[in-house]
Amino acid sequence: MRIISLNAWGGRLHEALIAYVRQADPDVLCLQEVLRAPNADRGWSLYRDAGLELPQRVDLFREIGDALPGHDAFFCPTSRGELFDGDAAIVAEFGLATFVRKSHSIIAQALDFVHGSFSADGWGEHPRPRNAHCIRLFSHEHARAVTIAHMHGLRDPAGKNDTAEREKQALALAGLIGRIWPGDEGLVVCGDFNLLPDSATFKVLARLGLSDLVTGNGLVDTRTSYYPKQGRFADYMLVTPEVKVAQFEVVKAPEVSDHRALLLDLE
């Protein structure tokens, strides 16, 4: 089973992203920073905030779904706001997306907010709402189940250091996982956590038996050349001892976002 986690960056490297998703052919694809606008034409839009303008694919969720026709698709919004095509406003949703190969049976899932609540009229105040999605799959090929959760951690303009909000977020994530993970089988937790490696969040997750494959393999950079700042940690992938790792990679090429994809192959 192949699991990939990636902050999609709103699809800003659209062609490279779509090509990579098709080529990598994951069993489970966990994406953060995904937009959905089912009533809009596909294509480019602009996100505007305090003088900042960022190009975004207005319905990246649908485009990834088209690239993975053999997968079930789940969209998990945190907020609903406006993008722009020139002066014309486009109503869109922002959040997580999870794609699961249809040959796997989804036998349980849980979705909830780990910070704040759904913002139905605008993107929300900083730090903006964040959620997590957890699924339990049964692999018929291997005759066993595995639980996979991913999260886009809250972004604090003050930085990635621990805060009271991040402590609550960690506890909420652990609680969400506990709703469906039975505790005696493989568990994978991944995503763009927006945290430093010494965060207390990892102590909370360690209580579930989770250890991080990024820092555990001595890796120090999960960002691509499109990210010019210092502080190269953002994305993590944690596993319990029951998970048999055949391969783990922080993908250096191709660059499909300002984040690197995390790729895990299970035995």
Side-chain angles (χ1 to χ4, degrees):
M1 182 183 293
R2 170 165 290 182
I3 302 165
I4 293 178
S5 176
L6 173 66
N7 181 318
W9 205 25
R12 288 179 65 181
L13 299 178
H14 174 253
E15 291 186 9
L17 173 61
I18 296 297
Y20 174 69
V21 165
R22 286 193 177 118
Q23 175 272 323
D25 193 28
D27 291 274
V28 180
L29 176 62
C30 301
L31 290 182
Q32 304 89 48
E33 289 197 21
V34 176
L35 288 151
R36 182 180 74 157
N39 296 320
D41 292 334
R42 305 185 195 199
W44 291 103
S45 62
L46 283 176
Y47 164 81
R48 294 172 179 163
D49 182 35
L52 179 68
E53 289 193 347
L54 300 174
Q56 305 278 284
R57 295 300 292 187
V58 70
D59 200 354
L60 182 62
F61 178 67
R62 181 168 37 165
E63 293 176 318
I64 296 292
D66 289 346
L68 296 173
H71 290 61
D72 290 316
F74 304 86
F75 185 72
C76 312
T78 58
S79 53
R80 185 174 184 266
E82 290 185 339
L83 303 173
F84 293 89
D85 180 5
D87 293 329
I90 303 168
V91 176
E93 292 179 311
F94 175 88
L96 304 177
T98 310
F99 299 84
V100 181
R101 195 182 303 279
K102 292 179 180 179
S103 57
H104 301 304
S105 296
I106 300 173
I107 56 177
Q109 64 177 312
L111 166 68
D112 209 345
F113 280 77
V114 293
H115 173 74
S117 58
F118 182 66
S119 178
D121 186 20
W123 303 120
E125 299 296 324
H126 292 289
R128 288 175 169 164
R130 291 293 195 244
N131 59 3
H133 187 211
C134 186
I135 55 175
R136 186 171 178 233
L137 306 182
F138 189 85
S139 168
H140 297 277
E141 179 182 356
H142 299 95
R144 66 173 181 263
V146 61
T147 300
I148 303 163
H150 72 119
M151 172 183 78
H152 186 193
L154 68 89
R155 178 185 178 276
D156 188 331
K160 296 181 179 178
N161 294 316
D162 280 345
T163 61
E165 289 80 6
R166 285 188 166 119
E167 180 182 6
K168 293 177 183 177
Q169 174 180 260
L171 295 171
L173 175 61
L176 178 71
I177 293 167
R179 295 185 201 175
I180 67 168
W181 179 55
D184 58 354
E185 67 188 27
L187 171 64
V188 178
V189 180
C190 54
D192 172 9
F193 287 4
N194 271 319
L195 295 171
L196 299 174
D198 61 355
S199 171
T201 291
F202 296 102
K203 295 179 181 178
V204 173
L205 297 178
R207 298 171 196 162
L208 304 178
L210 289 160
S211 58
D212 177 44
L213 295 174
V214 174
T215 56
N217 283 281
L219 302 170
V220 297
D221 192 349
T222 65
R223 307 304 293 255
T224 69
S225 64
Y226 291 92
Y227 185 79
K229 303 176 186 178
Q230 297 298 312
R232 310 294 295 180
F233 285 104
D235 308 272
Y236 300 91
M237 185 170 280
L238 300 91
V239 298
T240 57
E242 295 83 5
V243 174
K244 305 304 178 185
V245 177
Q247 175 190 356
F248 173 71
E249 180 182 1
V250 177
V251 179
K252 294 183 178 180
E255 293 189 342
V256 299
S257 167
D258 64 340
H259 294 252
R260 299 190 190 279
L262 306 185
L263 182 152
L264 173 63
D265 285 335
L266 306 184
E267 293 181 358

